[in-house]
Amino acid sequence: MDAFPELLARRVVLFDGAMGTMLYEKGVFINQCFDALNLERPGLVEEVHREYVDAGADVLETNTFGANRLKLGAHGLEARLAEINRAGVRIARRAAAGRALVAGAIGPLGGAERTGGGLGPAEQEALFREQAEALAEEGVDLFVVETIGSLDEMEAALRALGGLAPIPVVAQMTFHEEARTPAGETPEEVVARLEPHGPAVIGANCTVGPKPMLDVVRGLAAARRGPLSAQPNAGLPQSVAGRLLYMAAPDYMATYARRFVQAGVSVVGGCCGTRPDHIRAMRRAVAPFAPGRAVLVSAPEPPPEEAPARTVPTAEKSRLAALLATPDRFVTSVELTPPAGWDLTRLREGALAVAAAGVDCVNIPEYARVNPRLAPLAIARMLQPDLPAETIVHYCCRDRNLSGMQSDLLAAEAYGIRNVLMITGDPPKVGDYARPTGVFDVDAIGLVRVAARLNRGTDAAGGRFAPPTAIHIGVGVNPGAVNPDLEVRRFREKIEAGAEFAMTQPVFDPAVLERFLRRLGGVRIPLLIGILPLFSHRNAEFLHNEVPGMAIPEPVRRRMELAPTADAAQTEGVRIAREVLDAVRDFPGVRGAYMMPPFGRYELALRVLDGALPVRRGSARTG
């Protein structure tokens, strides 16, 4: 068998199809670690590989798509990373039997592929290198880095592979139907960013079916003269008798394989849903063609440039934004507790009481458990007409996909709800449901980027609209995080992405906040410091031991324990909170307080703020 560069120069190269689809059809449950089958059921993996060789595939991808440390760690298999990857190469090599090349398959890191990510470039690079080294040591003929959703992650992978032996690399991004990556990058941007890294092939795989991938291919071909690849899914999955099946027929896939080659593609194959019969049909379709000679392709005329829509300056977005831009103005906010049902009578009474006391904003958080609760956006909409204070709605990435998030942010703009605190969210707590799930299409950093684009009149896929939104973008930050370096880095990334104000987790020790601000080296956006008046010693112990992000110093818990009565404990909780507030209000960057009254006891928050609230003059609102 020729080496990959020689094969690529001689004919259209045909990759294999889906490994996961085939394993699933052979009885492997989707909650298993498919990569571990290299050790547990090597004969089954080899059987799939052999079926693709018999169908005419020139290249077999190893069963190692998810065999990186992060994804294997979810199954407790990270210690067997090298073993799993090496076994994957050996199995593919046996099945190939000299009739096909073996490509070391490397997929996204898991979590880090989401827009924004949670890993730094060096961390991503190290994770890719670890997997690639095991594949290279076992002797792969080429690497395939595939289904990558952001150029930052793909560049980290290419840097990692560039330091190894000179093994050819096929770099395949994944695109949505709008011909943009999940991170919003165009085919032209993909080529411009990846070509300097020198991959043998640049292309696309997964996510979409053949027809929308043809648009992606044409965009790649317009920007690159070198080899291209296309490995689409077999259409979009459909539910048939309770199972998700890919319905594109082999002849349909073959027709588009021919069109890909006519558009300039040198490498074709299939992703999710493709089987040996698809690959067999594609072999027949592309056999007559020489590689990389684009025909029947005319680049469409670019649309005329539109004048950019006027974006709203931060200070004009809302009353809160204006107050935060006012020197020497200390802003106050009190958190409301979402009710169990839809009746907002008590919540409205509490909101009106704190607003009448002079509080600037009421804060509406997401409910942490999965029991049904009215969404913060709906609560804000219902309170808004008769509330003399603005709302700040929390918006959690955990429960929505990217399309739904954009729709919700547009709805917030339409409702006149401008202040949105964007948080990633903790994994869902069980609540009343046996198997709660999270979506996490993007994390908070990614959502901030999306909101910032909406504020410029552009959605995540690049579509334009006018007028742009005027979302006042808030983010969370935890000064007492277990990993302060990671928290600092992520906070800086949120600011770079477009955050305009921040709200902290509750602070119980001013020294913790002071150290965090010193480590941060300056705050570029206003901070609202979280203040939580403790209710009792039991409340303090629960928060410290069972609530993510909470850390209550032992001396504070001891003070609550020594309170002789329930009333005394509440008074002590208010006293501790007021001491913290007095200590931190003059720290650099601190522009206000974010009160979190326990159990909806708003009077405790007002006792902490006593003397810190301005006299309210009327109830007019701006923004």
Side-chain angles (χ1 to χ4, degrees):
M1 190 80 184
D2 289 341
F4 182 66
E6 287 72 30
L7 189 66
L8 191 62
R10 190 163 56 84
R11 70 173 191 234
V12 175
V13 178
L14 181 64
F15 273 47
D16 58 6
M19 171 62 73
T21 297
M22 294 293 289
L23 292 173
Y24 175 60
E25 290 184 352
K26 292 177 183 292
V28 179
F29 293 114
I30 58 174
N31 61 346
Q32 289 186 246
C33 178
F34 282 14
D35 309 281
L37 296 175
N38 295 341
L39 305 179
E40 298 165 0
R41 300 180 67 182
L44 180 63
V45 177
E46 186 173 346
E47 178 185 322
V48 174
H49 283 317
R50 195 176 299 113
E51 289 181 37
Y52 281 123
V53 175
D54 292 342
D58 295 313
V59 178
L60 298 179
E61 293 192 32
T62 57
N63 180 40
T64 56
F65 175 80
N68 63 66
R69 180 167 295 277
L70 289 183
K71 286 188 173 179
L72 292 177
H75 299 276
L77 294 169
E78 62 270 31
R80 306 189 75 179
L81 181 149
E83 188 181 0
I84 288 171
N85 280 280
R86 284 175 171 272
V89 179
R90 290 195 298 270
I91 294 167
R93 187 71 71 193
R94 284 198 303 271
R99 295 188 293 161
L101 299 177
V102 173
I106 298 175
L109 295 174
E113 77 270 25
R114 308 204 185 266
T115 310
L119 299 170
E123 294 170 289
Q124 293 185 31
E125 192 173 330
L127 289 167
F128 281 122
R129 183 180 297 109
E130 181 180 35
Q131 182 184 3
E133 284 175 344
L135 294 168
E137 287 167 2
E138 199 61 39
V140 293
D141 299 301
L142 64 148
F143 288 115
V144 178
V145 184
E146 58 187 354
T147 325
I148 305 297
S150 80
L151 283 170
D152 288 344
E153 186 173 4
M154 178 61 85
E155 286 189 299
L158 295 180
R159 286 194 301 272
L161 272 57
L164 301 178
I167 299 173
V169 178
V170 176
Q172 296 188 143
M173 304 293 293
T174 191
F175 292 80
H176 290 322
E177 290 194 356
E178 299 86 357
R180 287 178 180 263
T181 69
E185 298 130 346
T186 65
E188 294 76 13
E189 290 174 313
V190 166
V191 171
R193 288 268 298 272
L194 298 189
E195 278 197 326
H197 295 278
V201 179
I202 293 176
N205 79 296
C206 202
T207 306
V208 296
K211 187 176 185 297
M213 185 162 284
L214 184 58
D215 293 332
V216 173
V217 164
R218 286 172 171 158
L220 294 170
R224 175 174 165 87
R225 299 182 65 85
L228 302 172
S229 66
Q231 297 196 72
N233 291 344
L236 295 177
Q238 300 180 36
S239 179
V240 179
R243 296 179 65 196
L244 287 178
L245 301 178
Y246 292 83
M247 306 300 290
D251 287 347
Y252 182 79
M253 293 286 286
T255 297
Y256 271 91
R258 188 162 51 246
R259 291 173 182 171
F260 292 148
V261 175
Q262 291 172 333
V265 165
S266 301
V267 173
V268 295
C271 204
C272 302
T274 52
R275 302 171 180 83
D277 52 349
H278 293 96
I279 299 304
R280 188 173 290 107
M282 294 168 76
R283 173 84 281 166
R284 292 194 298 267
V286 302
F289 290 89
R293 295 177 184 173
V295 296
L296 304 178
V297 176
S298 59
E301 288 294 321
E305 286 292 323
E306 301 178 23
R310 177 187 179 271
T311 58
V312 179
T314 298
E316 297 177 17
K317 290 181 176 178
S318 67
R319 181 172 180 272
L320 171 63
L323 291 175
L324 291 174
T326 303
D328 303 323
R329 179 64 156 82
F330 193 79
V331 177
T332 55
S333 175
V334 173
E335 181 175 284
L336 308 177
T337 302
W342 61 268
D343 187 355
L344 296 182
T345 302
R346 287 191 60 193
L347 190 73
R348 180 178 282 105
E349 291 172 353
L352 291 172
V354 298
V359 171
D360 297 305
C361 298
V362 292
N363 217 62
I364 308 172
E366 291 270 12
Y367 191 60
R369 305 180 74 87
V370 295
N371 308 68
R373 294 284 174 123
L374 202 58
L377 191 59
I379 295 174
R381 174 62 170 157
M382 294 171 73
L383 291 181
Q384 197 167 244
D386 54 2
L387 187 65
E390 274 194 329
T391 57
I392 305 173
V393 296
H394 291 207
Y395 195 85
C396 179
C397 300
R398 178 190 63 208
D399 305 320
R400 294 105 172 165
N401 64 23
L402 182 57
S403 177
M405 292 181 198
Q406 292 183 94
S407 296
D408 285 346
L409 292 176
L410 292 173
E413 175 70 26
Y415 292 154
I417 298 166
R418 295 286 182 76
N419 307 304
V420 183
L421 184 79
M422 300 176 186
I423 55 177
T424 300
D426 299 313
K429 299 175 175 63
V430 172
D432 296 332
Y433 296 88
R435 294 182 180 178
T437 58
V439 180
F440 294 113
D441 258 11
V442 297
D443 66 358
I445 300 169
L447 183 56
V448 169
R449 290 196 180 109
V450 170
R453 290 176 69 98
L454 294 177
N455 282 347
R456 296 191 295 269
T458 306
D459 63 27
R464 290 185 174 182
F465 60 89
T469 57
I471 302 162
H472 187 210
I473 303 172
V475 294
V477 63
N478 184 6
V482 175
N483 186 339
D485 290 333
L486 176 61
E487 188 70 12
V488 165
R489 194 189 75 230
R490 285 183 57 82
F491 186 42
R492 287 173 176 159
E493 289 178 1
K494 292 174 184 178
I495 295 172
E496 292 299 325
E500 296 167 305
F501 72 99
M503 304 175 76
T504 77
Q505 286 275 31
V507 173
F508 296 96
D509 183 354
V512 171
L513 177 62
E514 188 173 27
R515 285 195 297 270
F516 181 79
L517 294 176
R518 192 181 307 120
R519 186 186 295 266
L520 194 61
V523 185
R524 292 162 43 193
I525 60 176
L527 285 180
L528 299 180
I529 302 302
I531 303 290
L532 192 160
L534 296 168
F535 191 76
S536 64
H537 177 243
R538 180 179 295 180
N539 170 234
E541 290 294 335
F542 171 79
L543 294 175
H544 179 73
N545 289 287
E546 299 193 42
V547 177
M550 295 276 195
I552 302 176
E554 192 280 331
V556 171
R557 286 179 281 136
R558 178 65 174 162
R559 285 175 64 177
M560 295 300 296
E561 183 181 19
L562 293 176
T565 66
D567 287 344
Q570 294 175 32
T571 298
E572 186 66 15
V574 168
R575 184 180 296 116
I576 293 168
R578 185 54 191 255
E579 290 170 4
V580 174
L581 178 59
D582 289 341
V584 304
R585 61 180 298 155
D586 292 326
F587 281 9
V590 174
R591 298 302 312 283
Y594 159 39
M595 304 301 304
M596 306 175 202
F599 311 112
R601 297 291 296 273
Y602 305 124
E603 72 277 7
L604 296 180
L606 296 179
R607 284 169 61 186
V608 176
L609 293 173
D610 186 36
L613 297 173
V615 176
R616 182 171 295 282
R617 297 184 178 90
S619 59
R621 302 176 63 217
T622 64

